[in-house]
Amino acid sequence: QVQLVESGGGLVQAGGSLRLSCAASGSIFSINAMGWYRRAPGKLRELVARITTSGSTDYADSVKGRFTISRDSAKNTVYLQMNSLKPEDTALYYCNARRPPGAPDYWGKGTLVTVSS
């Protein structure tokens, strides 16, 4: 069992920055990768960024150059540094822990990011 706890969401002006944190606890040996997804009202959940256990990263085209995902293995924590925020970034952001195929992912409860114009 893995528990994911997100923090760092809030209200920020366009052009500002926020840093999200996701702390994992429990049976973390089963995790292959961790990442951030987001879902805006009326839209599908989408992958924002992810990082593998080896440190490779992937980003959605809409956030490339603005967001950076990083990992602190000692703390079992993944971060999402969000710069140059836009109103379009407003969404509920979820932390995700990927497990081997056949095993369901773990999800956090989400942290709300609101970007005002």
Side-chain angles (χ1 to χ4, degrees):
Q1 186 178 11
V2 173
Q3 183 179 15
L4 304 176
V5 180
E6 305 108 326
S7 62
L11 175 64
V12 65
Q13 294 280 342
S17 299
L18 285 174
R19 178 161 130 151
L20 306 183
S21 299
C22 175
S25 61
S27 302
I28 58 176
F29 66 89
S30 64
I31 298 174
N32 292 334
M34 294 184 66
W36 292 93
Y37 289 72
R38 67 185 181 187
R39 184 169 63 190
K43 298 182 179 180
L44 297 175
R45 183 182 297 179
E46 65 174 347
L47 175 67
V48 178
R50 68 166 45 244
I51 185 167
T52 69
T53 54
S54 62
S56 62
T57 58
D58 292 298
Y59 297 93
D61 288 341
S62 60
V63 307
K64 287 181 178 178
R66 300 188 296 119
F67 291 9
T68 302
I69 189 169
S70 61
R71 176 191 65 204
D72 187 337
S73 297
K75 297 181 179 179
N76 297 318
T77 300
V78 171
Y79 305 95
L80 184 67
Q81 179 66 45
M82 304 184 295
N83 298 326
S84 301
L85 283 162
K86 304 175 181 180
E88 306 91 88
D89 296 318
T90 296
L92 189 63
Y93 285 71
Y94 297 90
C95 184
N96 167 263
R98 178 70 66 181
R99 299 176 69 195
D105 290 1
Y106 290 104
W107 294 91
K109 293 182 178 180
T111 184
L112 182 63
V113 172
T114 303
V115 184
S116 62
S117 59

